[in-house]
Amino acid sequence: MFVKSLPNMLTVSNLFLGIVAIILAFQGNQYVEYAAITVIIGMLMDGLDGRVARMLNAQSEFGKELDSLSDVITFGVAPAFIMYVVALQDLHLIGIFVTAVFPICGALRLARFNVQAGVPGYFIGLPITAAGGVLATLALYHQVFNVALLAISMLLLAFLMVSNIKYPNFKKVGIPKAAYWITPIIVALVVLVAIKYPQQFPKIVFLPLAFYALYGIKKNVDLLLKKIRKEEKNEKESLPFE
């Protein structure tokens, strides 16, 4: 019974981390790094619960709904509040609006994911996990980037979640069952590194997450340009000879 409930326990731990991240965000700027780290650790938990459920053959509708509700808090609400505390509150009503838009789009993204059949090997729209990770770590650059740029970036991430842009799905990549037993060690190492280097660690994590978000845009722009060139070629071929 305990083994079958392990995936849901990981999901609940993800939800717990999201709540902790929100609390840390409102403790002052000196705790923002730890709030971002908490979201990152939540990403690890979110990546594990589905894989563990498939490995134990413990997938259920309850677990699916619990996962979505947890993701809204940890990767929607928590990152939005982190950004609001460090930057967007200076924008007053506009800051409140932008802060609200992000988790709303995240909830729409998850609702669509739960009811629509996806494309094998791809996510339709930027996953809320990645979007939340980008936003939580981007907030740490609030002294580098202009507040307006941070707000625009947040709205862009919100749009990418509800867009039809395809992103690679790494969740179903096969992992040997034996590898799951070293998972607690990996999580512990990540936590130790994060605690030892609280300022540098989340900023480093920002880079691969940002590249992932931008990858989908680049790939779809390439496809759009290819489609335009193909249409232009077909038009030229259909023109009558003089």
Side-chain angles (χ1 to χ4, degrees):
M1 186 68 180
F2 171 78
V3 174
K4 289 290 185 180
S5 64
L6 185 57
N8 290 337
M9 291 174 64
L10 290 170
T11 303
V12 170
S13 68
N14 171 27
L15 175 58
F16 173 77
L17 290 167
I19 296 169
V20 170
I22 295 171
I23 294 171
L24 288 172
F26 284 97
Q27 299 307 306
N29 286 358
Q30 66 270 29
Y31 290 97
V32 170
E33 287 87 0
Y34 293 103
I37 289 169
T38 306
V39 172
I40 294 169
I41 297 172
M43 292 177 66
L44 286 175
M45 297 300 175
D46 182 65
L48 287 173
D49 58 7
R51 287 189 170 96
V52 172
R54 286 189 290 272
M55 182 188 72
L56 299 175
N57 195 24
Q59 295 167 286
S60 66
E61 286 299 315
F62 173 82
K64 184 179 179 180
E65 296 301 325
L66 179 62
D67 182 65
S68 294
L69 292 170
S70 299
D71 287 353
V72 169
I73 300 298
T74 306
F75 310 116
V77 177
F81 279 170
I82 293 172
M83 183 63 82
Y84 177 79
V85 168
V86 300
L88 297 186
Q89 60 182 328
D90 295 333
L91 298 178
H92 307 294
L93 289 177
I94 295 176
I96 293 173
F97 172 78
V98 175
T99 301
V101 166
F102 185 83
I104 289 171
C105 288
L108 292 172
R109 163 71 177 77
L110 289 167
R112 184 178 67 179
F113 175 77
N114 287 341
V115 300
Q116 288 186 359
V119 179
Y122 290 92
F123 291 115
I124 303 301
L126 179 64
I128 189 174
T129 308
V134 172
L135 187 61
T137 51
L138 176 63
L140 303 182
Y141 291 91
H142 64 279
Q143 294 179 331
V144 178
F145 299 117
N146 182 274
V147 176
L149 180 60
L150 293 174
I152 292 170
S153 299
M154 191 169 175
L155 290 174
L156 175 61
L157 288 169
F159 166 75
L160 290 175
M161 284 192 288
V162 296
S163 71
N164 290 321
I165 295 176
K166 292 192 293 186
Y167 285 87
N169 180 1
F170 301 114
K171 275 194 170 186
K172 295 184 179 180
V173 175
I175 298 177
K177 289 186 177 181
Y180 285 99
W181 301 110
I182 66 170
T183 297
I185 299 174
I186 295 173
V187 173
L189 286 173
V190 170
V191 172
L192 286 173
V193 172
I195 292 174
K196 189 172 178 64
Y197 306 101
Q199 294 183 330
Q200 295 82 5
F201 176 75
K203 289 182 179 180
I204 293 172
V205 174
F206 166 76
L207 296 175
L209 291 174
F211 280 128
Y212 180 72
L214 293 172
Y215 167 81
I217 298 176
K218 179 184 179 301
K219 190 175 181 65
N220 280 267
V221 168
D222 291 342
L223 289 173
L224 180 61
L225 292 175
K226 185 178 179 181
K227 183 179 179 181
I228 292 172
R229 286 195 294 266
K230 186 176 180 180
E231 289 177 353
E232 290 178 348
K233 183 180 178 181
N234 291 337
E235 287 178 1
K236 288 180 181 178
E237 291 176 350
S238 61
L239 289 174
F241 293 106
E242 294 183 359

